[in-house]
Amino acid sequence: MYNIERYSKTLELDKILQSLSNEASIAETKELSLKILPETDFKRVGFLLSQTDSAYCFMAQYQAPNFAGARNVISVLNRAEAGAVLSMRDLLDTADTLRVIRTVKAWRENCSGITETPLQELFDTLVPNKYLEEKISFAIKNEEELNDNASPTLYDIRRKISAKSSKVRDLLDKIVKGPTVKYLQDAIITQRDGRFVVPVKAECKGQVSGIVHDTSATGSTIFIEPMSVVETNNEIRVLKIKESEEIDRILAELSAEAGGFVGGITASFNALIRLDLVFAKAKLAYKMRAALPKINQKGYTYLKNARHPLISNKTVVPITVGLGREYNTLVITGPNTGGKTVTIKTIGLLSLMTMCGLMIPVDDGSEVAVFSKIFADIGDEQSIEQSLSTFSSHMVNIISILDNADDDSLVLFDELCAGTDPIEGAALAKAILMRLSLYGSRVVATTHYPELKSYAIDTEKVENASCEFDVQTLKPTYRLIIGMPGRSNAFAISGKLGLDESIIEAAKEQVKDEDLRFERVVASLENARREAEEEQKKAQKLRIQLDEAKRKSDMREHELEIKLEKAMNETREKANQIIENARYKSSLLLNELEEMKKAINAENAAKMAEKARGAYKSTLKELEDEADPITVKKVAGEAVTSVNKGDIVVIADIGRDATVIDVKTDKKQAYVMAGAIKMWVGFDNLRFKSSFSPTTERPKTRNVTGIKSRVERQAVTEIDLRGQASDEAILELDSFIDNAVLSGIDTIRIIHGKGTGVLRKNVQAHLRHHKNIKSFRLGTFGEGENGVTIAELEQ
């Protein structure tokens, strides 16, 4: 009979589940984690994986919700529903659980970036009950005491007890500090059976009238309640009884209310457990650096850079292995301690983890088959109780596997049929592999038998693999090489360790020629493989260099595109600004013309028309200059007073060297040639080259008064009101909103901080009635949460 728990333990799934349990927060989740069994239903496995992946994505963006503090109060609430009065501890546990339910629900609502998730049904099942949570928290101070304000009656009773106690202490203080103090053993006030007493010396008990309540162990001290406080102590005792009755009434009332919500709390708590389990899986995935594999029902498994999850990340060597596509049986050979057992355990364990809804430590692109049965025969199965040898015990297990395996099974053998005669063991191992191949099972087997290497070479759908071993260092590399049979390397290792060469040669003579030829072929193939790998590394290095060069080229091209786009945007903004200014100035001209129309008459018509034409030309010239600004050079140095033909001078306003060709002294002009250009230039614009010093260019500027255009305004979308009084903040906020509306901004961010929440409430109350505010909300995770308010403006 197939026992999945047995084979799961053989592959060490129980250790993975223990790690999963450690990631859970709720006690019931920890227990549930340890009881998880692999699912064999393909759709169920897909759903579990999608839940884990969803939690993984939630954690990547928002971190995990906090489940700590939730406790199983279902049985407690069932008792309350039946009429039982709960203890303060039980009620506090109920309040803590309700708090976790509420905070997890609120956490999901704040994760607005993820809308669709397979976990949504569980989140929807959570029903917060803030009313009951706050009522219990308000009434109960700790598991031993109720708050004074739990009810008006309790408050009144405790106030009276306090007053009476003060009165008793005042009376006793008079005794302790009065003439009778000489009769007291100590000048203190204490209590016996809830009543205030004073310690009186045994020999002076007749000097203090009152009721004796106790004596010391030695008999030297008698605790007496003076008659002056007996009545008041009696009143305190009556009030204490009333207090106890009121506490019982309050607890009964709270218990009845809690019992009335048992259905909703039970459903919410069960959903909380399931969520805690899924997020525990996601946390474990992060620790393992795991990925989500693709799953199939075709028996195909491909693990890319798979790491055994129980081996430290610092020492584990990733393996890449496939099964079920080109071949259904994989025979792994190689020396001992080379990693063969770790390989088959990795394949089996990662398959089981996937079927439990866990992400696995592989690279993206990996695929795992969902099998109906997974078998494993690994390790020392010797049974002293059943008088079975190691071989016999393994064979019992193998027989059970053969009886139950089918075409939807994964079978893992470690050292198949070892521990018996090599010839018979090899024949048995080959026959077992043939039978499982006939069943259609997927099989991975490790062995030292050379016959199985030959079987893998000669048989279709069977493939060799080996765990690499470095003979030079006598250490395994733990690399899995698919398609290459492994070598035992016994002769080479023995020689490196110092075994006499003659002994090694004598041993080689005992090996069949056929086996030696096979080993030589394997060695030759291994050398060829290593050479091919070296060439592949060189090609890969060259490809990386080419990729890097292309990346830099693409980056440079991208930077140029960004610069071009920036320049285009700046030009576009400047053009828009010029247009806005032109519109504004045109508007001023139109207004002025309207005024002139009103003021015109027959006498001043010509004067007003001339003035209008002048204003029009002046404004037009300003717009032209603004659209095409002229750069003017400031004249520096002393102007020439006379020049001669052939002199080298500088034209000051353009900063160009020129040669004097002709001179008109009477007109103080010189005919100069600057490059290919010839022109007449006045002496005042000429400088001798030695005295010329260029100055900084300054563009012509004009100041135009009036209202700033939308383009000229600085578009600010955020205001910080922290540290301001509410009135001051509201005034500054109004001005900010007006500027934002005029600037065409759709959304603004108002920073008011968390603090006591007063400023936030006043800001939001003001926004609620502001004519320019369309809607507003608190910030989400990454926006500042409840320390900011995001508002949309009406345009």
Side-chain angles (χ1 to χ4, degrees):
M1 177 127 181
Y2 178 65
N3 186 348
I4 184 62
E5 293 185 47
R6 173 189 174 186
Y7 297 114
S8 295
K9 188 172 183 179
T10 299
L11 292 168
E12 300 180 295
L13 178 65
D14 57 320
K15 296 180 180 178
I16 299 297
L17 296 182
Q18 182 60 59
S19 297
L20 176 63
S21 176
N22 295 338
E23 297 298 329
S25 300
I26 304 173
E28 283 68 24
T29 310
K30 291 178 179 291
E31 293 178 9
L32 182 62
S33 301
L34 299 174
K35 298 176 182 177
I36 292 177
L37 291 175
E39 295 282 350
T40 56
D41 181 79
F42 180 75
K43 291 183 178 179
R44 178 64 179 167
V45 172
F47 177 71
L48 292 176
L49 286 173
S50 68
Q51 284 189 323
T52 306
D53 183 52
S54 179
Y56 191 88
C57 293
F58 269 117
M59 289 179 61
Q61 295 187 49
Y62 304 102
Q63 297 186 338
N66 187 4
F67 297 94
R71 293 175 177 82
N72 188 354
V73 293
I74 296 174
S75 60
V76 169
L77 294 177
N78 284 331
R79 287 194 293 109
E81 187 183 29
V85 177
L86 305 181
S87 67
M88 295 184 197
R89 179 70 270 165
D90 289 339
L91 288 168
L92 286 175
D93 287 345
T94 302
D96 288 341
T97 302
L98 290 173
R99 174 184 54 78
V100 175
I101 292 170
R102 176 175 54 82
T103 55
V104 172
K105 183 80 169 184
W107 176 89
R108 173 63 187 101
E109 291 172 352
N110 287 331
C111 298
S112 56
I114 300 178
T115 53
E116 297 182 4
T117 168
L119 299 173
Q120 194 57 48
E121 184 177 352
L122 292 175
F123 281 115
D124 290 340
T125 305
L126 299 177
V127 181
N129 192 334
K130 195 173 182 180
Y131 161 75
L132 181 59
E133 174 195 346
E134 290 183 343
K135 188 168 185 179
I136 294 174
S137 300
F138 178 78
I140 303 176
K141 188 175 184 179
N142 53 52
E143 59 183 283
E144 296 179 351
E145 185 180 1
L146 286 182
N147 282 316
D148 292 347
N149 294 320
S151 75
T153 303
L154 182 63
Y155 176 82
D156 185 59
I157 292 171
R158 288 185 173 175
R159 182 181 59 79
K160 290 178 179 178
I161 291 174
S162 178
K164 297 291 183 182
S165 297
S166 296
K167 180 180 178 181
V168 170
R169 285 185 176 278
D170 290 341
L171 293 172
L172 292 177
D173 275 343
K174 293 178 181 179
I175 295 174
V176 169
K177 297 177 182 179
T180 56
V181 69
K182 59 187 178 183
Y183 306 126
L184 303 183
Q185 194 71 264
D186 294 296
I188 61 171
I189 301 170
T190 184
Q191 281 189 330
R192 286 294 186 274
D193 298 327
R195 302 178 75 87
F196 290 100
V197 297
V198 292
V200 180
K201 298 175 182 178
E203 63 272 17
C204 302
K205 65 178 180 179
Q207 304 300 322
V208 179
S209 61
I211 301 172
V212 177
H213 283 276
D214 197 5
T215 60
S216 66
T218 61
S220 61
T221 304
I222 300 174
F223 296 95
I224 296 177
E225 178 185 5
M227 293 303 298
S228 59
V229 298
V230 170
E231 184 61 30
T232 308
N233 270 337
N234 289 339
E235 293 174 357
I236 292 175
R237 177 62 64 87
V238 171
L239 290 171
K240 288 283 187 180
I241 294 172
K242 290 182 178 180
E243 178 190 29
S244 178
E245 292 174 349
E246 179 62 13
I247 289 173
D248 290 342
R249 187 196 66 79
I250 293 171
L251 291 178
E253 180 182 315
L254 290 174
S255 300
E257 285 209 64
F261 294 108
V262 62
I265 296 175
T266 299
S268 296
F269 181 74
N270 289 332
L272 213 58
I273 292 174
R274 304 304 301 181
L275 286 169
D276 187 26
L277 178 61
V278 174
F279 276 95
K281 291 179 179 180
K283 292 174 187 175
L284 186 62
Y286 269 102
K287 284 193 173 181
M288 292 182 176
R289 294 183 297 170
L292 183 72
K294 183 180 178 183
I295 59 174
N296 66 80
Q297 292 176 284
K298 300 177 181 178
Y300 171 59
T301 294
Y302 175 71
L303 303 176
K304 182 179 179 183
N305 289 328
R307 286 91 61 192
H308 194 289
L310 297 177
I311 301 177
S312 170
N313 287 329
K314 295 180 180 179
T315 58
V316 68
V317 177
I319 61 168
T320 297
V321 60
L323 182 69
R325 183 162 288 179
E326 292 86 2
Y327 48 88
N328 292 338
T329 300
L330 186 65
V331 177
I332 304 176
T333 51
N336 291 326
T337 71
K340 302 189 299 297
T341 303
V342 171
T343 297
I344 61 173
K345 279 190 172 184
T346 300
I347 296 170
L349 180 56
L350 297 193
S351 297
L352 290 172
M353 288 174 62
T354 302
M355 294 163 66
C356 290
L358 293 164
M359 298 168 72
I360 57 177
V362 294
D363 286 356
D364 290 333
S366 298
E367 191 166 352
V368 175
V370 177
F371 294 102
S372 62
K373 301 172 186 174
I374 294 180
F375 301 94
D377 182 59
I378 300 172
D380 188 359
E381 297 287 342
Q382 186 175 22
S383 174
I384 298 175
E385 294 175 356
Q386 299 180 22
S387 300
L388 295 177
S389 67
T390 300
F391 175 78
S392 300
S393 183
H394 278 291
M395 190 51 61
V396 169
N397 191 26
I398 291 170
I399 292 170
S400 175
I401 292 173
L402 292 172
D403 288 342
N404 290 280
D406 54 24
D407 61 350
D408 195 22
S409 299
L410 172 65
V411 183
L412 306 170
F413 291 121
D414 186 28
E415 300 295 350
L416 179 59
C417 293
T420 187
D421 179 78
I423 297 175
E424 294 180 355
L428 272 174
K430 182 177 178 180
I432 290 168
L433 293 181
M434 292 173 65
R435 176 61 61 88
L436 290 172
S437 179
L438 185 64
Y439 289 166
S441 302
R442 284 13 178 215
V443 183
V444 183
T446 69
T447 183
H448 285 286
Y449 293 137
E451 290 84 354
L452 293 187
K453 302 177 189 177
S454 301
Y455 168 71
I457 292 173
D458 298 335
T459 308
E460 186 180 0
K461 289 287 185 179
V462 182
E463 185 61 272
N464 270 304
S466 61
C467 290
E468 190 179 53
F469 189 88
D470 190 340
V471 180
Q472 300 300 321
T473 61
L474 298 181
K475 291 182 179 179
T477 65
Y478 301 105
R479 291 182 59 210
L480 183 67
I481 311 298
I482 303 295
M484 177 71 64
R487 301 167 59 201
S488 65
N489 292 302
F491 293 153
I493 292 173
S494 299
K496 287 286 183 181
L497 293 174
L499 185 65
D500 190 281
E501 187 66 28
S502 62
I503 297 177
I504 296 175
E505 290 299 324
K508 288 181 178 179
E509 291 176 2
Q510 305 302 315
V511 181
K512 295 179 181 178
D513 290 341
E514 182 180 344
D515 292 337
L516 283 175
R517 283 196 301 271
F518 182 81
E519 288 296 319
R520 291 193 193 101
V521 170
V522 171
S524 176
L525 288 173
E526 189 170 347
N527 291 332
R529 176 189 61 78
R530 288 178 177 170
E531 290 175 1
E533 283 187 353
E534 290 297 324
E535 292 298 323
Q536 184 180 9
K537 287 179 181 178
K538 292 178 182 178
Q540 187 175 8
K541 183 177 180 181
L542 181 60
R543 181 173 59 80
I544 291 172
Q545 292 174 349
L546 291 174
D547 289 344
E548 179 65 16
K550 183 177 182 302
R551 185 188 66 80
K552 291 181 178 179
S553 176
D554 291 343
M555 186 181 297
R556 178 61 179 164
E557 182 180 353
H558 181 63
E559 289 175 354
L560 291 174
E561 289 177 356
I562 292 175
K563 288 181 179 179
L564 178 60
E565 182 67 23
K566 184 178 179 181
M568 291 292 291
N569 289 336
E570 289 176 353
T571 303
R572 198 176 294 112
E573 290 177 4
K574 190 171 183 180
N576 289 335
Q577 186 173 352
I578 292 172
I579 292 171
E580 288 281 347
N581 288 339
R583 287 175 177 167
Y584 174 71
K585 291 177 180 179
S586 298
S587 175
L588 292 179
L589 281 175
L590 289 173
N591 291 338
E592 191 171 343
L593 287 173
E594 289 295 328
E595 293 296 328
M596 290 172 65
K597 283 182 182 180
K598 295 176 183 178
I600 197 168
N601 53 49
E603 295 179 358
N604 60 4
K607 186 188 295 183
M608 297 291 284
E610 183 63 26
K611 182 178 178 182
R613 278 193 295 272
Y616 169 75
K617 289 179 179 179
S618 175
T619 303
L620 185 61
K621 184 66 169 64
E622 288 180 2
L623 292 176
E624 288 174 350
D625 289 344
E626 188 172 0
D628 186 15
I630 300 171
T631 299
V632 178
K633 286 187 178 290
K634 184 179 180 182
V635 177
E638 296 182 0
V640 301
T641 56
S642 65
V643 292
N644 298 315
K645 292 181 181 181
D647 286 347
I648 304 298
V649 294
V650 177
I651 306 172
D653 60 355
I654 63 173
R656 293 287 300 274
D657 291 355
T659 304
V660 178
I661 301 174
D662 195 5
V663 180
K664 290 182 180 179
T665 306
D666 54 340
K667 293 185 177 181
K668 294 186 177 182
Q669 288 182 335
Y671 193 53
V672 299
M673 182 174 67
I677 302 174
K678 297 178 180 179
M679 68 184 82
W680 286 98
V681 181
F683 286 178
D684 59 346
N685 196 25
L686 295 178
R687 306 286 186 275
F688 286 118
K689 191 168 183 180
S690 60
S691 64
F692 178 80
S693 59
T695 58
T696 306
E697 295 181 355
R698 53 186 181 87
K700 284 198 260 182
T701 58
R702 297 178 179 86
N703 292 325
V704 180
T705 59
I707 299 173
K708 287 186 178 180
S709 67
R710 176 175 292 185
V711 175
E712 290 174 308
R713 292 189 188 91
Q714 185 180 8
V716 181
T717 62
E718 180 178 283
I719 183 172
D720 191 343
L721 303 177
R722 288 177 294 184
Q724 298 185 22
S726 295
D727 294 342
E728 179 187 359
I730 296 301
L731 289 174
E732 187 172 339
L733 178 60
D734 280 339
S735 176
F736 173 72
I737 292 173
D738 292 342
N739 286 332
V741 171
L742 291 173
S743 298
I745 295 172
D746 296 325
T747 304
I748 60 174
R749 183 169 180 257
I750 305 166
I751 305 174
H752 42 63
K754 298 179 180 178
T756 61
V758 174
L759 182 57
R760 180 185 71 245
K761 291 178 181 178
N762 290 336
V763 166
Q764 292 186 350
H766 184 68
L767 294 177
R768 193 170 288 110
H769 304 290
H770 199 290
K771 63 180 181 179
N772 290 325
I773 298 301
K774 183 178 181 181
S775 63
F776 64 89
R777 61 176 173 81
L778 282 174
T780 59
F781 183 83
E783 292 180 324
E785 300 180 348
N786 61 353
V788 304
T789 295
I790 308 299
E792 292 187 19
L793 303 180
E794 293 277 7
Q795 293 294 337

